[in-house]
Amino acid sequence: PMLNDDIAKAMMLTPAQGFQLLAMLDHPESRFPSLARLEVKDKAVLEALSITRLADSGLQLRTRITGKPKQMPGASRLKVVVKLLWKSAGRQLGDDFQDIKLFKCEAIARELEVAGSNATQMEAFAVWGDSDGKQEHSTLMVAGDPDDYAPELEELLEARFEMIFNACPARPTKVLRLLRHLENERNFNKFVDRDFTGFIEHDEKERRRLETLRMAAEKKVMEAALAEERKQREAEEAEKRAAAEAQLSDIEKEAAQKQNEAQLQKDADRLEKERLQEQQRLRKERLLEEAKLRKQEEDELKKLEQESVEKQRQLEEELKKEEELLNEQDEKEQEEAERQLSEARAAVLAKRQQELNEQKERIAKLAADQQSLREQQEQEVRELEEAEEQERVEREQAEQAEAEERERAELEESERAQAEENERGETEEREKAEADGASEEREKAEADGASEEREKAE
């Protein structure tokens, strides 16, 4: 078992090393009494059970850098990202914030050495640099493309500025997305202007103010250094004067001994002249140094103003180009939309015309079918009328033949007149029944034919 109290080392462990990380006894140090007591108890239990900590010196985590690190120009843009993080958390970045220097190398590797097992190596793309506590800035080392180191850089910033991230009402996704554009000033400024309107102008004013404060501080430091240098020179002059006075005293002693007062006075005059010349020389050097510093400060201020004006002009030109590009793109999209709309309208009209033509063809076909059906019905009616006429003629002929036969029967067989009359009556009744049955069948057949024709027409 092993206590996980170092996230960086925990990421380097592998199953082959045979460690099992504990999910208990991991209360951190705290200023609250109850949590402090738990931390003390956890520490005592770990010592009693001889459980190893990931933070122990026996587990050494090293970082290997390949290639000579080169400072990236994106350090200023990284500070803009930090300022936006503070702004998202509703806070203001203080003047005492430690600047972050950004360096890039060819490759970064993390190596974890565990006693009794092989070292584990893992490729990394962003790490914090070493700090001896005397530096006035932090150091970040990155490797690879922005898409490679941006996620790890985001994790490093979140781990160091955890309180700022927790103070944000929501995760600052738009701010962290800027980490992918640290090497491209144009894209970086474009996204800052789009997502944080007016921030660059405000930050430029703030940068100028800080630059003025820095120059004033440097001026004070320089003045203090000049004052210190003047003090040293005055001390050296005092030592020289003391040495000259001592030498003069020796000379006087020697003159008194040798009774050469004229030579002593000459030496004294020479020393006094040298002292005056040295004072004049120091005064001239001090004046020249002050004039040089004033000129250097004025040149730096003019240079900063020129850079600001040039940068503003470049930003205006880029904004104008982007607006023209967006306008051209909008016009192209509008023309393309109108063309697609006209094509769609033409297609819909053609489809509707085709449907209308098909409908006209169906109507013409239906009219032709109805005309054909009407002619067929008229033909059938004519045929039925002809059949009825022929049947009527045949019936009349049959009746006439029967009448003639009855007359012949009456003439030939007068005695069987009554019988024949009875038979004739029966024959007439039978013929009438047959005629009625035939008429009913004909009417039924006509009704069935008319019904079938109506169904067919429908």
Side-chain angles (χ1 to χ4, degrees), residues 111-163:
E111 184 176 299
L112 178 65
E113 289 189 1
V114 182
S117 63
N118 296 329
T120 304
Q121 288 188 353
M122 180 181 293
E123 185 180 13
F125 295 98
V127 294
W128 288 107
D130 295 333
S131 177
D132 55 4
K134 299 180 181 180
Q135 297 179 353
E136 296 181 356
H137 61 269
S138 301
T139 304
L140 262 174
M141 307 288 294
V142 297
D145 297 330
D147 291 336
D148 296 328
Y149 63 72
E152 296 190 11
L153 189 58
E154 179 179 336
E155 293 177 359
L156 294 177
L157 292 177
E158 186 172 3
R160 173 162 289 196
F161 307 122
E162 183 178 1
M163 294 180 63

Side-chain angles (χ1 to χ4, degrees), residues 343-406:
E343 291 177 355
R345 287 177 177 174
V348 170
L349 290 174
K351 187 175 180 181
R352 288 182 178 176
Q353 186 64 32
Q354 185 178 1
E355 291 176 354
L356 287 173
N357 293 335
E358 292 176 356
Q359 188 173 4
K360 288 180 180 179
E361 292 177 358
R362 287 196 299 271
I363 292 172
K365 186 177 180 181
L366 183 59
D369 292 341
Q370 289 179 354
Q371 183 65 25
S372 176
L373 182 60
R374 192 180 297 110
E375 293 176 353
Q376 185 177 1
Q377 289 177 353
E378 292 175 354
Q379 182 67 25
E380 290 177 354
V381 169
R382 286 194 298 271
E383 291 177 356
L384 287 173
E385 289 177 351
E386 291 176 356
E388 289 177 355
E389 183 65 23
Q390 186 177 2
E391 185 178 359
R392 186 180 61 77
V393 171
E394 289 177 356
R395 187 169 60 253
E396 289 177 353
Q397 291 176 358
E399 289 176 353
Q400 187 177 1
E402 289 174 354
E404 291 174 354
E405 187 178 357
R406 282 196 304 272

Side-chain angles (χ1 to χ4, degrees), residues 34 42 132 180 253 279 290 297 326 337 371 417 424:
S34 57
D42 291 348
D132 55 4
R180 301 180 182 274
K253 288 180 180 179
Q279 287 181 353
E290 290 176 355
E297 290 175 357
L326 288 174
Q371 183 65 25
R424 189 169 56 253

